[in-house]
Amino acid sequence: QRAWLDPRTAAVFCARGGDGAHRVLDELDFEELRRAPVKPLVGFSDVTALHEALAVELGASSLHGPVVALESFAEDAAAAEHLRTTLFAPETAAVLTAPGAETLVGGAAHGVTAGGNLSVLNDSLAAPHSRASARGRLVLLEDVAEDVSRIDRMLTQLLRSGWLDGAAGVLLGSWAQCTPDAAAVRT
């Protein structure tokens, strides 16, 4: 909150994801945050809770992007350059893709992105500071170290709750360390 409110801060970068961001939400003063100019919030994983809260409470767009303290980000010049381009020349970074990306269902879709970490989204259904649905949005989903049976239950919950009704499209991110095999998520 201090970084968001500080006029000398141009963007807020999360050092890491992990666990606990949802507990921070009850400590934020959204009235105060609404009075400050909107600035980028960058992070992923459980930072999804903050992304959703800023979207719902402030109408702010944020960036489901790298957490900057990870060694994997520090060693990835292409990721650093893409982040720089996204922040300073966003009109040139409108294409979402990655090496090895594949289309599971063809077509074209347009919309504002929403979503993030599947576990956090699923656990936030109907909670304060959470979006009621993904209608008209391009839904980004990722998770790490989850069993495919849990992923199936979480996706089924998002479907059965109506959260995914009317979504413009779904983009799947990293499913690293998901068992028995990350490729099983595609099926």
Side-chain angles (χ1 to χ4, degrees):
Q1 182 165 313
R2 282 192 307 267
W4 189 270
L5 297 174
D6 188 335
R8 300 168 299 170
T9 302
V12 178
F13 293 85
C14 296
R16 60 178 297 272
D19 189 28
H22 60 283
R23 288 189 298 280
V24 171
L25 299 179
D26 295 330
E27 303 302 320
L28 295 176
D29 182 343
F30 288 104
E31 288 300 319
E32 188 71 21
L33 293 173
R34 281 186 199 95
R35 288 192 271 276
V38 173
K39 54 188 75 177
L41 168 74
V42 182
F44 75 100
S45 188
D46 78 317
V47 177
T48 297
L50 295 171
H51 290 302
E52 286 292 295
L54 292 178
V56 170
E57 300 296 336
L58 281 61
S61 296
S62 55
L63 182 58
H64 191 81
V67 289
V68 295
L70 289 183
E71 192 173 314
S72 59
F73 175 70
E75 295 174 353
D76 189 342
E81 178 57 24
H82 186 70
L83 177 59
R84 188 200 67 72
T85 300
T86 300
L87 292 171
F88 294 102
E91 65 284 353
T92 65
V95 176
L96 300 175
T97 190
E102 62 180 285
T103 301
L104 301 178
V105 177
H110 301 278
V112 174
T113 57
N117 181 271
L118 176 59
S119 299
V120 173
L121 287 171
N122 187 66
D123 291 348
S124 298
L125 286 178
H129 318 300
S130 296
R131 163 182 351 248
S133 81
R135 181 167 301 283
R137 300 188 181 275
L138 296 170
V139 178
L140 307 172
L141 296 174
E142 57 84 12
D143 217 317
V144 64
E146 286 289 354
D147 185 84
V148 172
S149 64
R150 276 193 39 83
I151 292 169
D152 178 63
R153 283 195 300 275
M154 289 184 278
L155 289 172
T156 299
Q157 176 64 13
L158 290 178
L159 286 166
R160 291 181 70 222
S161 70
W163 195 85
L164 288 170
D165 289 355
V170 176
L171 297 93
L172 301 177
S174 173
W175 299 94
Q177 302 168 7
C178 290
T179 56
D181 179 349
V185 174
R186 292 192 307 260
T187 61

